[in-house]
Amino acid sequence: MKEHQARKRFGQNFLQDTRIIADIVNAVRPQPLDTVIEIGPGLAAITKPLAEKLNRLHVIEIDRDIVGRLKTLPFAGKLVIHEGDVLQFDFNSIAGKKKIVGNLPYNISTPLLFRLSEIADDVVDMHFMLQKEVVERMVAAPKTNDYGRLGVMLQYFFEMEKLIDVPPESFDPAPKVDSAVVRMIPLKHRIGRAQDFAHFAKLVKLAFHQRRKTIRNNLKELAADEDLQAVGINPQDRAEHIAPEKYVELSNYLVQKAV
Ligand code: SAM
């Protein structure tokens, strides 16, 4: 079969570093009967060692040529191939608690992470290769430069840990950026439950709209100084100083007040 030409538009940077591949599979710890879904199997660098440990492996792949290749692999019988865009994929169509894995196309990573948050209750864990800078924003604590909307929204659902740093040379073709593997485990007890998730999401988006401004300024459309003070937020503070649970508390306070 002729060699596959990596397609930039599908974020194709194929893993070629056997040590990193082994580290990812070890981190996932697949057991034969687990329901595992791999996003973007590509040329099967992670797919093959995962399939060796599983009775069955779901894969979601957008590139038709790659789907054709996957069907010819010696272990194709173990694969359930879903051809299409993962951003349109109905994860509920696969029953049971899922483990999700992927060396993700970096151009869709943020919308994908937001979509996966919606199914957090049906997930055992997720392991993703992402741009290192994105991983650092995901796991960032308040009062650090990397802390922002992405961190707050994901830390609402998941406990997250950066596991492995991965240099560009581990891929072919090499991406322009450093990468890292992150583990995401849905929280059993979320940091308070947002009574109205859409309200919470809007509030967090507005809070970080202009990082240099005070929380009072960024949230003036939603909250008065008294509202902020009622949940212990100083109106002169900046969004990046405020912990995720405070955003949940403020959203719930405002939602209650409006009833
Ligand atoms: N897993 C392989 C590896 O580690 O070498 C390939 C990783 S490559 C970074 C990303 C893979 O995701 C490619 O196979 C690409 O075709 C696929 N992909 C890109 N966009 C996608 C989308 N929207 N839905 C599903 N798969 C996608």
Side-chain angles (χ1 to χ4, degrees), residues 78-124:
K78 283 190 173 184
L79 301 182
V80 183
I81 302 174
H82 305 270
E83 181 178 340
D85 183 352
V86 65
L87 292 176
Q88 309 296 328
F89 187 73
D90 177 11
F91 283 89
N92 293 322
S93 67
I94 299 174
K97 288 253 186 189
K98 310 160 213 339
K99 287 167 82 73
I100 307 182
V101 189
N103 169 11
L104 297 183
Y106 295 168
N107 52 342
I108 60 161
S109 54
T110 308
L112 180 60
L113 290 168
F114 280 121
R115 271 217 75 201
L116 290 168
S117 303
E118 293 167 17
I119 58 154
D121 288 337
D122 289 323
V123 164
V124 178

Side-chain angles (χ1 to χ4, degrees), residues 10-15 38-43 45-46 60-63 66 84-87 103-105 108:
F10 291 145
Q12 291 179 351
N13 299 94
F14 300 109
L15 257 176
E38 189 193 359
I39 299 171
L43 303 180
I46 315 173
I60 306 169
E61 175 58 63
I62 200 169
D63 185 330
I66 285 188
D85 183 352
V86 65
L87 292 176
N103 169 11
L104 297 183
I108 60 161

Side-chain angles (χ1 to χ4, degrees), residues 4-200:
H4 177 77
Q5 289 298 320
R7 295 192 163 107
K8 231 182 179 168
R9 70 176 186 284
F10 291 145
Q12 291 179 351
N13 299 94
F14 300 109
L15 257 176
Q16 55 172 1
D17 184 327
T18 48
R19 191 183 54 85
I20 300 285
I21 293 167
D23 285 349
I24 294 173
V25 176
N26 285 339
V28 175
R29 285 175 198 265
Q31 303 298 312
L33 295 174
D34 285 347
T35 302
V36 180
I37 306 173
E38 189 193 359
I39 299 171
L43 303 180
I46 315 173
T47 320
K48 182 169 181 281
L50 280 178
E52 277 164 8
K53 296 193 184 285
L54 291 164
N55 291 354
R56 196 161 60 151
L57 171 60
H58 292 268
V59 295
I60 306 169
E61 175 58 63
I62 200 169
D63 185 330
R64 197 184 295 168
D65 292 348
I66 285 188
V67 167
R69 283 170 184 267
L70 291 168
K71 288 179 180 162
T72 66
L73 293 172
F75 54 90
K78 283 190 173 184
L79 301 182
V80 183
I81 302 174
H82 305 270
E83 181 178 340
D85 183 352
V86 65
L87 292 176
Q88 309 296 328
F89 187 73
D90 177 11
F91 283 89
N92 293 322
S93 67
I94 299 174
K97 288 253 186 189
K98 310 160 213 339
K99 287 167 82 73
I100 307 182
V101 189
N103 169 11
L104 297 183
Y106 295 168
N107 52 342
I108 60 161
S109 54
T110 308
L112 180 60
L113 290 168
F114 280 121
R115 271 217 75 201
L116 290 168
S117 303
E118 293 167 17
I119 58 154
D121 288 337
D122 289 323
V123 164
V124 178
D125 55 33
M126 309 203 269
H127 292 83
F128 294 131
M129 174 87 73
L130 289 161
Q131 202 173 321
K132 185 171 165 186
E133 180 221 299
V134 173
V135 172
E136 281 166 356
R137 287 198 279 128
M138 290 163 72
V139 304
K143 301 188 182 168
T144 62
N145 280 342
D146 291 326
Y147 181 67
R149 178 184 171 220
L150 186 68
V152 175
M153 294 310 295
L154 294 178
Q155 288 169 31
Y156 173 71
F157 291 102
F158 303 101
E159 185 192 323
M160 292 178 290
E161 186 188 352
K162 183 171 91 158
L163 298 182
I164 316 166
D165 282 322
V166 187
E169 316 81 78
S170 297
F171 303 86
D172 180 27
K176 291 203 175 69
V177 292
D178 284 328
S179 304
V181 177
V182 65
R183 171 180 285 152
M184 306 170 71
I185 300 181
L187 290 168
K188 282 208 181 67
H189 304 288
R190 288 198 193 144
I191 49 164
R193 283 261 171 182
Q195 286 170 17
D196 177 345
F197 182 75
H199 181 276
F200 166 64

